[in-house]
Amino acid sequence: MEIILVQTIVNGLMVGMIYVLMAIGFTMVFGIMRIVNFAHGEFYMAGAFLFAILYGSNNLPFFISVLLAVGATALLGLLMERIVFRKFRGNELNGMIASVGVALILQNSALLLWGSSARTVPPVISGVLSVGGIVFPWSRLVVIIGAIVAVVSLNLLIGHTRIGRAMRAVAQDAEIAQVQGIRVDIIFPVAFVLGVSLAAFAGVLMAPVLSVSPFIGLAPTLKAFVIVVIGGLGSVPGAVAGGLLIGLIESFAGTFVSASLSEILQFLVVIAVVLLRPQGLLGRKEREA
């Protein structure tokens, strides 16, 4: 029983950390640009697909494949920000509708380029780590470690660099930040590319664990949306707490009860949070007019 419990926690942490990466990128774009980006999962899909082609099909070294996959997806995000999302900054409804259009374009582009067949990617480290009779697959530990490194790096960037302080100022009030001399026209694309890069990196980490296809983006987008509602729109600590909570609920319910109950529990949590704390667990209350 103890072994099953520990392995369930590890599975929950793995899934939860991927949700954390997705939710941080999602909430960062919303917090700074005021855009609910429903194309977020398609950038996850693009990162996973590029990694599958570079590392899985062409046998490029792992770290080079990661850099190329995330870098190419970041450039795609910059292009989308320039062409589409820049026009809808601050316009939540139109921005959301535009993001659905971008999601469909990216998904169908992937279908045209790579077909509908699912691809598998070999694990970065095969085998298992055995500790006290408890077995941890290295493929899952790599996901957890990679996600933690990404979150810590982002935290250092936001908390201890000039660009990070500027992003926090714009998230609090873009107009006041601009009056203080912060170039918001630079901060917006930086935030969008960072959010997209986190989604692409999550896709890269999950590619060896799950099969890759043009349709894998929808589920993580919906999870990211649920998590930022639980944690609080625009709150990075809330995204971390919400991602881990949903990951553990999903793992425990899936192991001990059923996957269907897992989905029900997640949405019961969302409903409870919305009723009891509309701004989310760690979100800020909107100022009343």
Side-chain angles (χ1 to χ4, degrees):
M1 185 62 184
E2 288 180 3
I3 292 175
I4 295 175
L5 188 63
V6 172
Q7 288 180 335
T8 303
I9 292 172
V10 171
N11 288 339
L13 288 177
M14 181 197 73
V15 176
M17 287 306 298
I18 290 300
Y19 291 161
V20 166
L21 288 183
M22 291 296 294
I24 288 178
F26 192 94
T27 204
M28 184 185 295
V29 171
F30 177 81
I32 293 176
M33 299 179 69
R34 293 287 154 184
I35 287 176
V36 178
N37 181 17
F38 280 118
H40 199 58
E42 271 53 48
F43 293 109
Y44 165 94
M45 176 271 294
F49 239 121
L50 290 170
F51 182 72
I53 292 168
L54 295 167
Y55 179 74
S57 301
N58 291 289
N59 299 315
L60 286 184
F62 170 71
F63 287 108
I64 292 177
S65 301
V66 173
L67 287 174
L68 289 176
V70 175
T73 310
L75 284 176
L76 177 64
L78 182 61
L79 188 66
M80 288 295 117
E81 194 275 338
R82 283 264 180 181
I83 297 173
V84 180
F85 292 104
R86 178 169 295 193
K87 297 178 174 57
F88 299 105
R89 288 189 310 224
N91 188 333
E92 295 178 22
L93 179 60
N94 288 348
M96 187 167 59
I97 293 169
S99 75
V100 173
V102 170
L104 291 173
I105 290 169
L106 294 180
Q107 188 183 90
N108 284 285
S109 298
L111 269 170
L112 287 172
L113 287 171
W114 300 310
S116 59
S117 300
R119 298 182 184 220
T120 56
V121 180
V124 179
I125 304 176
S126 56
V128 296
L129 173 68
S130 181
V131 180
I134 303 172
V135 173
F136 303 102
W138 273 110
S139 58
R140 294 173 185 270
L141 293 177
V142 166
V143 173
I144 295 172
I145 294 168
I148 290 173
V149 169
V151 172
V152 171
S153 302
L154 181 72
N155 187 52
L156 291 174
L157 176 73
I158 292 177
H160 301 281
T161 66
R162 190 173 177 183
I163 190 80
R165 287 190 287 273
M167 287 169 67
R168 281 186 286 150
V170 173
Q172 287 178 1
D173 194 315
E175 289 184 7
I176 292 178
Q178 192 164 22
V179 169
Q180 291 176 338
I182 294 174
R183 293 280 304 274
V184 295
D185 56 328
I186 293 176
I187 297 301
F188 285 136
V190 168
F192 193 83
V193 167
L194 265 178
V196 164
S197 301
L198 288 173
F201 188 57
V204 165
L205 290 175
M206 286 303 283
V209 180
L210 302 173
S211 58
V212 177
S213 83
F215 308 107
I216 61 172
L218 178 61
T221 299
L222 294 178
K223 294 288 182 185
F225 184 71
V226 165
I227 289 163
V228 298
V229 170
I230 291 173
L233 281 167
S235 168
V236 171
V240 175
L244 292 176
L245 177 64
I246 290 298
L248 289 170
I249 288 174
E250 193 172 298
S251 181
F252 272 88
T255 301
F256 295 106
V257 193
S258 73
S260 302
L261 182 64
S262 160
E263 298 294 326
I264 293 171
L265 282 174
Q266 291 171 40
F267 281 97
L268 284 176
V269 171
V270 173
I271 292 169
V273 170
V274 170
L275 287 174
L276 299 174
R277 193 173 165 80
Q279 70 271 33
L281 295 175
L282 299 175
R284 288 177 303 167
K285 203 168 182 178
E286 293 287 337
R287 281 183 235 167
E288 293 180 5

